Amino acid sequence: MIPTRYGNADLGWNHFSGKHNIKKCRVVDAALAGKVDKKLAYYGVARNQTRLVKIVVVVQYARRTADGEYDAGRGKKIGVITAYCKGMNRCPDRINE
């Protein structure tokens, strides 16, 4: 189980919902249901009628972030660092419909 924390401007829900315009849990959940690559990035597709957008969700399945800046606490995992639409800085509004 990979948590998605409320976070801040650097990671978690606050980061990707603002900067990358992902406002629906189902967008992140769809990617987390897919296969993980070696760097703990999950890939999914958001679909709105016939339009497809590739979603990338980056996670850190460890107590601390790689830079040591954040600690989730004993027995907990950092979880989702960010989520974004591949090839763009801000996801189109249609993925949140």
Side-chain angles (χ1 to χ4, degrees), residues 3-97:
T4 302
R5 301 188 181 284
Y6 200 56
N8 57 27
D10 296 329
L11 56 84
W13 185 266
N14 278 338
H15 170 73
F16 65 76
S17 68
K19 184 175 182 180
H20 301 297
N21 194 34
I22 295 177
K23 312 276 187 200
K24 298 286 184 178
C25 292
R26 69 175 185 251
V27 175
V28 176
D29 291 344
L32 290 177
K35 288 187 173 185
V36 66
D37 78 355
K38 294 174 187 171
K39 296 179 182 177
L40 287 180
Y42 289 82
Y43 300 92
V45 176
R47 182 176 159 197
N48 183 312
Q49 296 174 358
T50 59
R51 296 187 239 172
L52 302 176
V53 176
K54 292 181 182 179
I55 306 295
V56 180
V57 178
V58 179
V59 303
Q60 186 131 21
Y61 199 69
R63 176 181 169 172
R64 291 185 180 93
T65 56
D67 63 6
E69 185 76 21
Y70 300 98
D71 187 330
R74 186 175 174 182
K76 297 181 181 175
K77 306 296 181 204
I78 292 290
V80 175
I81 299 289
T82 191
Y84 59 92
C85 292
K86 190 171 182 172
M88 54 189 85
N89 287 326
R90 186 170 170 81
C91 295
D93 289 333
R94 69 179 180 263
I95 70 160
N96 296 306
E97 295 174 358

